[in-house]
Amino acid sequence: MRLHCLCWAACELIPKLLKQQAADILPSHTVRCAGAAIASIILKGLDSTGYKAAAGVSNQINAAAGATIGRALGFEIALMFAFAFVIMAATDSVQTSKTISLQVLVPLAIGMTLFVCHLIAIPVDGCSVNPARSFGPAVVSRTFHQYWIFWVGPLAGATCAAVIYQSFKARDDDMRIGHIGHQKRDGKAA
């Protein structure tokens, strides 16, 4: 059953999501990347010595800490998966409508998840979990060595999180519909 849900999500959901979001994806990412580049230029202008010492605050694999390309990519995928899953779960209007009193904690859940992701991955690769955040410093410092990791990892992690979260939602919807159908068939009110 779970394999069926995952296959359904991969074959049906991703094309629908991409089609729905196609008009927003390019302008949104362009603006985010431009904003990150502008912020990086400002930081470089404020403290050029510190900026150079931090390698332009660009993401780089920390070989001194034993990080490898595979480990950095794995961290980026796993941490972005966790971050995106928390965002989807915390902002799901169906789920949050059931717990109105807890909606004020949504920013805390998202912020704490991002904080933990950074605690885990900063020593490994600087923790991207946001391709636009990695883009600005890389452009300004001209540091593109192994840069692909900081796009592929977060995009793969977010895609996996979306597929799995949507498959859980579809399964819950199927169970809820099946439960209501059984109640009606048994003569009980829904």
Side-chain angles (χ1 to χ4, degrees):
M1 179 67 175
R2 289 183 183 171
L3 181 60
H4 169 71
C5 288
L6 290 174
C7 291
W8 168 83
C11 295
E12 297 289 328
L13 184 66
I14 291 174
K16 287 180 183 177
L17 286 174
L18 290 177
K19 187 182 265 187
Q20 290 172 351
Q21 302 296 327
D24 297 332
I25 289 174
L26 187 60
S28 172
H29 287 300
T30 302
V31 169
R32 289 178 191 162
C33 288
I38 291 167
S40 192
I41 289 168
I42 291 170
L43 284 174
K44 184 177 182 180
L46 291 174
D47 182 13
S48 62
T49 306
Y51 190 83
K52 287 178 186 173
V57 294
S58 61
N59 293 94
Q60 297 179 14
I61 296 173
N62 186 358
T68 62
I69 291 173
R71 185 173 289 165
L73 183 61
F75 269 77
E76 290 295 329
I77 292 170
L79 294 175
M80 186 60 197
F81 173 89
F83 186 47
F85 197 90
V86 167
I87 290 171
M88 287 182 277
T91 60
D92 185 341
S93 59
V94 173
Q95 296 300 324
T96 57
S97 67
K98 296 176 187 176
T99 56
I100 281 187
S101 61
L102 296 178
Q103 287 180 357
V104 296
L105 297 177
V106 168
L108 180 65
I110 293 170
M112 289 303 293
T113 303
L114 184 60
F115 173 69
V116 170
C117 288
H118 278 78
L119 282 179
I120 294 169
I122 282 177
V124 176
D125 65 5
C127 190
S128 175
V129 296
N130 180 351
R133 201 231 36 98
S134 299
F135 175 80
V139 166
V140 174
S141 67
R142 295 183 180 100
T143 309
F144 289 101
H145 184 65
Q146 300 166 338
Y147 173 71
W148 62 272
I149 293 169
F150 307 109
W151 277 83
V152 172
L155 292 174
T159 301
C160 290
V163 167
I164 291 172
Y165 187 77
Q166 290 299 326
S167 70
F168 285 152
K169 277 185 69 170
R171 189 187 73 195
D172 289 345
D173 291 345
D174 288 345
M175 290 173 64
R176 200 173 308 117
I177 290 168
H179 181 66
I180 292 169
H182 289 299
Q183 287 180 341
K184 287 182 180 177
R185 191 173 47 224
D186 294 339
K188 298 177 184 173

